[in-house]
Amino acid sequence: MSAPPRLPPLPTIRDILKLYHLSARKSLSQNFLMDQNLTDKIVSKAGKLYGSHVLEVGPGPGGLTRSIIKRVPEKVVVVEKDPRFKPTLDMLAESFSTINKRMDIVYDDIMKTNVERLLPTEGKREWHDKPPDIFIIGNLPFSVSTHLIIKWLHAMSEKRGAWAFGRTKMTLTFQKEVAERLVAQPYGSQRCRLSVMAQTWTFPVLRFIIPGKAFVPKPDVDVGVVSFTPLVHPLTQHNFEFFEKVVRHVFIYRQKYSVRCIETLFPRDRCKDLALLMFKLADLDPTIRPYQLTVQEIDRLATAYKYLLEKHPELALYEHRKSRSILPISKTRNIVVEDYEEMSEETF
């Protein structure tokens, strides 16, 4: 096999920033990664990019972009919110074109971008097949990273966006604490709602930590690189928003007994009875702490909650954070142990 074509020499990122008088904007949470060895390392963890299609989020001056195009994917699409980087990104696109490859530049907010239209339909694969030759890579601004991963997990659960093409992999940066939460296991100190949501639909791996001093300007925290491989079989069959609601309530009081958290799903005058019933239906110890629960155990709680809502739809009207939630409380009076006895084992 012949060696991949080589790109023409390019000025360093530091030189480019000086040339175009570019600096990071705090309002956009911009931190530039200057070390080419580190950007090469991030890209190496993404997978085999040669001949693939890559979507890069937030390229900025293009440090990570040049590590991507060095791997000679078939096509690169970068989504950048800040148009100040047009000269630097145009330079990279022109360089990539010298080896007969294409780089598209989209100036848009990734939170609003229709990712699906940016990717090739010919690369589509079935969900149970191996992942497509499509990769998402990004050095994410801290201000959007958590919101974006939840948004993408939602899209993944419904097989839309980048996941309309199959189990598209992601390699993304997060502040170190968030990266550790994403991969935290039960009983771990960082176990939280984000851990459960990420691990329900993907297999997340913390690849390595980048010291904050590698960025310009230097952030107050270090940065973690996390890769995500979508699961062939997600660990829940529940609707994303429904499951997320249960998970959110499970972790509403992280250090208390989990039954106390589940009580917040129900009206106050019946919350203790209903929460205990829900744990009985799920065959779980109500004194277990939220951070000790596995994804599978939380899924059983979600199944129990869904069962109660099917039998007593008025419970869905209750919202814990709205003090004036209107609910015909009296209708919950008939929820008794018979609910447990009637519920078939097949439900779980």
Side-chain angles (χ1 to χ4, degrees), residues 74-121:
E74 186 63 31
K75 183 180 177 182
V76 176
V77 179
V78 300
V79 179
E80 174 55 56
K81 187 175 183 179
D82 191 343
R84 293 182 305 145
F85 297 116
K86 185 177 189 305
T88 68
L89 296 175
D90 284 347
M91 181 189 303
L92 291 174
E94 184 178 350
S95 175
F96 200 39
S97 69
T98 64
I99 57 172
N100 297 316
K101 302 299 179 184
R102 181 176 166 184
M103 175 175 147
D104 290 346
I105 307 167
V106 178
Y107 294 99
D108 198 7
D109 182 346
I110 190 61
M111 294 295 291
K112 302 174 183 176
T113 304
N114 181 357
V115 172
E116 190 170 343
R117 67 180 175 81
L118 303 178
L119 298 171
T121 56

Side-chain angles (χ1 to χ4, degrees), residues 25-190:
R25 282 185 173 169
K26 188 175 181 180
S27 62
L28 296 177
S29 301
Q30 292 175 341
N31 299 93
F32 304 148
L33 186 53
M34 312 297 279
D35 189 329
Q36 197 70 44
N37 290 327
L38 285 173
T39 57
D40 287 347
K41 187 176 181 181
I42 293 172
V43 171
S44 72
K45 300 301 182 182
K48 184 182 177 183
L49 301 190
Y50 183 77
S52 69
H53 285 71
V54 178
L55 172 66
E56 185 191 357
V57 181
L64 194 56
T65 314
R66 53 176 69 201
S67 291
I68 291 171
I69 63 178
K70 279 188 348 186
R71 294 299 188 98
V72 195
E74 186 63 31
K75 183 180 177 182
V76 176
V77 179
V78 300
V79 179
E80 174 55 56
K81 187 175 183 179
D82 191 343
R84 293 182 305 145
F85 297 116
K86 185 177 189 305
T88 68
L89 296 175
D90 284 347
M91 181 189 303
L92 291 174
E94 184 178 350
S95 175
F96 200 39
S97 69
T98 64
I99 57 172
N100 297 316
K101 302 299 179 184
R102 181 176 166 184
M103 175 175 147
D104 290 346
I105 307 167
V106 178
Y107 294 99
D108 198 7
D109 182 346
I110 190 61
M111 294 295 291
K112 302 174 183 176
T113 304
N114 181 357
V115 172
E116 190 170 343
R117 67 180 175 81
L118 303 178
L119 298 171
T121 56
E122 63 269 18
K124 187 174 183 178
R125 288 182 179 163
E126 295 299 323
W127 193 258
H128 58 268
D129 290 341
K130 68 178 184 178
D133 292 326
I134 298 172
F135 300 87
I136 297 176
I137 303 174
N139 175 27
L140 303 180
F142 295 158
S143 61
V144 303
S145 60
T146 302
H147 297 293
L148 185 60
I149 194 62
I150 290 294
K151 176 183 173 70
W152 279 349
L153 289 171
H154 191 178
M156 188 184 299
S157 74
E158 297 177 355
K159 298 181 176 61
R160 53 182 173 79
W163 298 275
F165 304 89
R167 293 185 298 117
T168 300
K169 293 183 178 182
M170 301 183 286
T171 302
L172 306 169
T173 62
F174 301 86
Q175 58 186 17
K176 180 174 177 284
E177 185 179 72
V178 174
E180 290 172 341
R181 288 174 180 173
L182 285 162
V183 302
Q185 297 299 305
Y187 291 84
S189 62
Q190 297 278 39

Side-chain angles (χ1 to χ4, degrees), residues 151-340:
K151 176 183 173 70
W152 279 349
L153 289 171
H154 191 178
M156 188 184 299
S157 74
E158 297 177 355
K159 298 181 176 61
R160 53 182 173 79
W163 298 275
F165 304 89
R167 293 185 298 117
T168 300
K169 293 183 178 182
M170 301 183 286
T171 302
L172 306 169
T173 62
F174 301 86
Q175 58 186 17
K176 180 174 177 284
E177 185 179 72
V178 174
E180 290 172 341
R181 288 174 180 173
L182 285 162
V183 302
Q185 297 299 305
Y187 291 84
S189 62
Q190 297 278 39
R191 183 74 167 178
C192 65
R193 176 179 70 101
L194 192 59
S195 319
V196 173
M197 296 305 292
Q199 294 164 33
T200 299
W201 279 276
T202 75
F203 179 66
V205 177
L206 177 55
R207 295 297 187 174
F208 61 97
I209 301 296
I210 303 174
K213 64 183 180 181
F215 294 85
V216 176
K218 178 183 177 298
D220 296 330
V221 295
D222 294 335
V223 172
V225 178
V226 182
S227 63
F228 302 84
T229 302
L231 299 174
V232 176
H233 301 291
L235 301 185
T236 185
Q237 296 302 310
H238 292 296
N239 169 277
F240 183 92
E241 292 175 333
F242 174 82
F243 187 75
E244 194 275 336
K245 176 184 178 180
V246 175
V247 175
R248 182 165 18 96
H249 281 264
V250 164
F251 285 96
I252 201 166
Y253 308 121
R254 188 176 180 279
Q255 295 297 333
K256 293 187 177 182
Y257 291 151
S258 53
V259 71
R260 299 293 174 239
C261 303
I262 290 300
E263 286 176 7
T264 63
L265 284 168
F266 303 110
R268 290 183 180 180
D269 72 330
R270 296 290 288 163
C271 66
K272 293 185 183 299
D273 291 342
L274 291 171
L276 285 171
L277 176 57
M278 195 163 143
F279 272 82
K280 191 172 184 180
L281 291 168
D283 192 24
L284 289 171
D285 179 359
T287 65
I288 194 171
R289 308 286 179 175
Y291 62 87
Q292 297 174 320
L293 289 163
T294 66
V295 174
Q296 291 84 351
E297 288 169 338
I298 293 175
D299 183 54
R300 280 155 52 189
L301 285 170
T303 299
Y305 181 53
K306 183 179 180 181
Y307 170 79
L308 291 176
L309 293 185
E310 287 172 349
K311 290 206 70 177
H312 309 280
E314 68 277 2
L315 290 174
L317 300 175
Y318 179 74
E319 294 184 45
H320 173 67
R321 295 194 180 278
K322 291 187 178 181
S323 58
R324 295 184 179 181
S325 294
I326 299 174
L327 176 66
I329 301 296
S330 60
K331 289 189 177 182
T332 68
R333 302 289 186 187
N334 62 343
I335 303 177
V336 291
V337 177
E338 281 77 2
D339 284 347
Y340 172 71

